[in-house]
Amino acid sequence: ERKLYPNVDFYSGLIYKALGFPTDMFPVLFAIPRAAGWLAHWIEQLDDPDNKIVRPQQVYLGPPRRTWVPMDERKMHKTD
């Protein structure tokens, strides 16, 4: 009635389960094969001079670095 079809992760999950992988590992196992595609897409975006969709490089223009005191060297104040 709603014509909802499972995506490839559904079938991959069945295979991973049959191979004995714990369900907690499924997100990692789904992400690993996609990493190659994500990286290829990123490289294509970097190499395309006419790519208008990607945000331009951002350059921080805020205040310069400030000095700070490490936590273990700070004095504790009593609030009693």
Side-chain angles (χ1 to χ4, degrees), residues 11-22 26 29:
Y11 299 108
S12 299
L14 293 176
I15 294 169
Y16 291 149
K17 191 70 168 175
L19 290 172
F21 285 99
F26 283 13
L29 294 170

Side-chain angles (χ1 to χ4, degrees), residues 4 6 10 15 38 46 57:
L4 296 175
F10 175 78
I15 294 169
W38 293 333
L46 292 177
Q57 181 180 2

Side-chain angles (χ1 to χ4, degrees), residues 31-44:
I32 290 171
R34 290 187 174 130
W38 293 333
L39 291 172
H41 181 72
W42 177 58
I43 290 169
E44 285 177 3

Side-chain angles (χ1 to χ4, degrees), residues 4-72:
L4 296 175
Y5 302 101
N7 64 12
V8 72
D9 288 341
F10 175 78
Y11 299 108
S12 299
L14 293 176
I15 294 169
Y16 291 149
K17 191 70 168 175
L19 290 172
F21 285 99
T23 309
D24 292 347
M25 288 295 297
F26 283 13
V28 175
L29 294 170
F30 295 148
I32 290 171
R34 290 187 174 130
W38 293 333
L39 291 172
H41 181 72
W42 177 58
I43 290 169
E44 285 177 3
Q45 288 180 336
L46 292 177
D47 288 343
D48 184 4
D50 296 326
N51 193 343
K52 306 281 191 242
I53 296 174
V54 178
R55 294 179 183 158
Q57 181 180 2
Q58 298 178 7
V59 179
Y60 179 70
L61 300 175
R65 286 185 171 248
R66 293 181 270 179
T67 58
W68 53 278
V69 178
M71 290 294 290
D72 59 340

